[in-house]
Amino acid sequence: MAVTARERPAESGVREVGLVGYCVDTGSNLLMDAFLRALSARVEAAGGHVLLFNAPAGAEGVGVYTDLAARRAVDAFVLADTVVDDPRHAALAGFGVPLVSFGRAPVGGWVDVDGGAATAELVRGLVALGHRRIGFLGSCTPRAAGVDERLAGWRRACADLGVSGEVVWAEEDTVAAGERAALRLLGSRRPPTAIVGVDDQVAIGALRAGRGEVAVTGFDDSPLAAVAELTSVRQPIDRIVGELVRLLTTGGEEHVLLRGEIVARASAPLAARQGRYGKPGYM
């Protein structure tokens, strides 16, 4: 039986990272490629290694995680692509294997970006450009943890600034689904002149639907955003990974909320005054 990270002797409250299990993202989220590279480098610098595995999304894949935990095949887990009511955390809670999450989670420590503050600032920037009808384009299947905070930031800023806008949900997190949802939004009785996308995938779909006549923003600042000249919120991947590995080595269960950085491009040329938004801290 392998020795788990919790069983290894610790010095000054710091434990070895050991073998960290991470499920390889099988979707099309390009942000996670950069996340995996950064995670591997940081874990190895801490004296550990990352064990990659595949598992289906949702409840169907939980058995892969619990099998690894039961066999003590890994010393810890880093969970990413967390969703609302994510079944993995409850399933792993009884195994005594440390876990941390990129994205908000009900069990263990987590690290996330303050999406609510960032989307609120996107709205303020769009209003400064003269927009008064600003829609929100979300993605509901699966519904990522943190989406509600991004929506709440949009609602809060619209209410504070007295601007109107509707919410439309894409049926899945793809460019094609984002385009279809954006066409519904633009076909409403009072179509928006600007759209805040919940992520880059659906936002690029909105760019296609708007054909250059609608300002669009995204979230994640993935490689797609740079190619599409999409204004987006950059997530500080190196800082996120650093905090996750810190939580693994210290056994911390803090909830760490970091700032995002708005990167303005041609899709919505926001004022240069904008930068990092969100309050860093521990919850």
Side-chain angles (χ1 to χ4, degrees), residues 181-231:
L183 286 171
R184 297 199 305 271
L185 188 58
L186 294 171
S188 62
R189 186 175 61 86
R190 288 176 55 80
T193 61
I195 295 175
V196 173
V198 73
D199 61 27
D200 289 348
Q201 298 267 85
V202 297
I204 290 172
L207 277 178
R208 289 183 178 181
R211 298 182 181 276
E213 297 180 1
V214 180
V216 179
T217 67
F219 202 107
D220 286 341
D221 194 37
S222 68
L224 285 176
V227 172
E229 282 296 309
L230 174 69
T231 292

Side-chain angles (χ1 to χ4, degrees), residues 217-258:
T217 67
F219 202 107
D220 286 341
D221 194 37
S222 68
L224 285 176
V227 172
E229 282 296 309
L230 174 69
T231 292
S232 188
V233 177
R234 178 174 294 164
Q235 302 209 50
I237 293 298
D238 287 342
R239 178 79 187 280
I240 290 166
V241 167
E243 290 290 346
L244 288 171
V245 174
R246 179 186 66 80
L247 292 176
L248 284 178
T249 58
T250 63
E253 294 195 354
E254 298 104 320
H255 299 164
V256 183
L257 202 56
L258 301 176

Side-chain angles (χ1 to χ4, degrees), residues 10 24 31 38 58 62 65 81 93 103 116 119 121 123 144 157 195 197 211 214-216 219-221 228 261 263 282:
V24 179
L31 177 73
V62 165
Y65 289 86
D81 297 314
T119 53
E121 189 59 29
V123 171
I195 295 175
R211 298 182 181 276
V214 180
V216 179
F219 202 107
D220 286 341
D221 194 37
E261 179 182 0
V263 180
Y282 303 86

Side-chain angles (χ1 to χ4, degrees), residues 98-135:
L99 69 153
V100 295
S101 302
F102 175 19
R104 304 173 195 224
V107 175
W110 57 254
V111 182
D112 200 8
V113 170
D114 191 345
T119 53
E121 189 59 29
L122 287 171
V123 171
R124 285 190 282 271
L126 291 167
V127 169
L129 291 177
H131 296 282
R132 293 297 180 271
R133 296 193 305 279
I134 303 172

Side-chain angles (χ1 to χ4, degrees), residues 100-192:
V100 295
S101 302
F102 175 19
R104 304 173 195 224
V107 175
W110 57 254
V111 182
D112 200 8
V113 170
D114 191 345
T119 53
E121 189 59 29
L122 287 171
V123 171
R124 285 190 282 271
L126 291 167
V127 169
L129 291 177
H131 296 282
R132 293 297 180 271
R133 296 193 305 279
I134 303 172
F136 184 90
L137 182 59
S139 173
C140 57
T141 308
R143 191 156 180 177
V147 164
D148 290 344
E149 284 72 23
R150 297 178 195 182
L151 176 59
W154 170 84
R155 290 191 190 280
R156 182 172 64 250
C158 286
D160 290 346
L161 297 170
V163 299
S164 62
E166 296 181 45
V167 179
V168 170
W169 296 95
E171 69 271 17
E172 58 184 1
D173 189 24
T174 64
V175 172
E179 182 176 8
R180 291 191 294 271
L183 286 171
R184 297 199 305 271
L185 188 58
L186 294 171
S188 62
R189 186 175 61 86
R190 288 176 55 80

